[in-house]
Amino acid sequence: MRATAFNRHGVWAIYRFEMARALRTLWQSVVTPVITTSLYFIVFGAAIGSRMTQVNGIAYGAFIVPGLIMLSLFTQSIFNASFGIFFPKFTGTIYELLSAPISSFEIVLAYVGAAATKSIALGLVILMTAGLFVPIQIRHPLWMIAFLVLTATTFSMFGFIIGILSKGFEELQMIPMLIMTPLTFLGGAFYSISMLSPTWRTITLFNPVVYLISGFRWSFYDTADVGVALSLAMTLCFFFLCLGAVAWIFKTGYRLKS
């Protein structure tokens, strides 16, 4: 029988367990993405920064900072949330979780909340790391935090869905590696889409990642490839789409009980 009141103890137990798992894998969770970001600055700064000094009036090294943060945020949010729910499925402990006095909303809140927390913390660490390489200016700090939290929560929920639908570790890694990373690189993470030809610019606008990166970059430098309102609307649209998918999965039990 499900509990009618909000089970804060159950939510906190799952959340604390997931956060503890991140601390046990601190090297993989934090250090590796920071080293990767540093390598991006070294490689892109040397190979491209020396030839393309500014983009839209912004130093190239500073211009790519929001894109680098988003790249790490997408991949880590998906990985943390997908692995968090997939592992109980893999070991069979998912049935204990489903029979516990905790609602589906509370389960999602705990897993997605933990994954988003880890991703946000990583994003802030990468932001501080980037500050060691280039001067960074954040003109809209509240909007920056808002985009960071909303994007981390949305993609953590997306990762949660992937973890439920995946049948094995290969499927678990396929979407982040084969879909999200290319979309990020083609979504204006390291360039402005205004630099593209009209045809390619139109094609690029079908990439949802463009809107996420553009809105996040606007919070830094007050410049964007697409309107900020449109960026926010697209992010919210994806959030509610993921929310609807999660609700349907728990309502039908699809891939949860089989």
Side-chain angles (χ1 to χ4, degrees):
M1 182 177 179
R2 293 291 185 183
T4 55
F6 182 75
N7 189 348
R8 63 180 185 276
H9 297 293
V11 173
W12 174 246
I14 298 173
Y15 180 88
R16 185 175 58 183
F17 177 81
E18 287 298 301
M19 295 302 295
R21 181 171 60 83
L23 294 176
R24 291 194 300 268
T25 58
L26 190 63
W27 180 269
Q28 179 182 356
S29 301
V30 178
V31 179
T32 300
V34 169
I35 293 176
T36 303
T37 302
S38 301
L39 290 175
Y40 273 123
F41 274 108
I42 295 172
V43 172
F44 278 87
I48 300 178
S50 59
R51 295 172 173 81
M52 184 166 46
T53 56
Q54 289 190 342
V55 179
N56 295 339
I58 305 166
Y60 182 74
F63 180 84
I64 66 175
V65 169
L68 285 174
I69 295 176
M70 284 287 107
L71 175 61
S72 297
L73 202 69
F74 295 155
T75 55
Q76 290 300 313
S77 294
I78 292 174
F79 172 79
N80 289 325
S82 61
F83 186 82
I85 190 63
F86 176 80
F87 193 71
K89 282 183 55 185
F90 181 76
T91 58
T93 56
I94 186 71
Y95 300 107
E96 298 177 6
L97 182 64
L98 293 174
S99 61
I102 183 171
S103 68
S104 57
F105 168 76
E106 291 159 352
I107 292 173
V108 175
L109 179 64
Y111 277 108
V112 172
T117 300
K118 289 181 280 187
S119 300
I120 292 168
L122 177 61
L124 295 176
V125 169
I126 292 177
L127 179 61
M128 291 185 288
T129 303
L132 301 175
F133 293 89
V134 293
I136 299 174
Q137 182 182 16
I138 304 176
R139 295 190 177 182
H140 307 281
L142 294 180
W143 277 108
M144 188 274 287
I145 295 296
F147 271 109
L148 191 69
V149 172
L150 181 58
T151 303
T153 304
T154 300
F155 277 85
S156 293
M157 198 176 302
F158 184 50
F160 187 84
I161 296 171
I162 294 173
I164 292 176
L165 300 182
S166 298
K167 295 181 179 180
F169 287 99
E170 295 80 7
E171 293 184 13
L172 197 68
Q173 299 175 1
M174 182 180 69
I175 291 181
M177 294 297 296
L178 298 182
I179 298 179
M180 287 311 305
T181 300
L183 285 180
T184 304
F185 276 94
L186 297 174
F190 302 106
Y191 59 89
S192 171
I193 65 172
S194 62
M195 302 167 63
L196 302 175
S197 66
T199 301
W200 280 108
R201 192 182 310 140
T202 302
I203 295 174
T204 302
L205 290 176
F206 286 96
N207 181 355
V209 174
V210 169
Y211 303 92
L212 305 179
I213 294 177
S214 178
F216 192 58
R217 181 173 287 128
W218 170 85
S219 68
F220 279 77
Y221 308 120
D222 209 15
T223 182
D225 290 323
V226 296
V228 179
L230 182 57
S231 295
L232 182 61
M234 291 293 289
T235 307
L236 288 172
C237 181
F238 189 42
F239 172 80
F240 285 112
L241 185 64
C242 291
L243 189 63
V246 170
W248 178 81
I249 288 173
F250 275 95
K251 182 179 180 180
T252 60
Y254 183 71
R255 292 285 178 92
L256 276 174
K257 302 176 182 179
S258 59

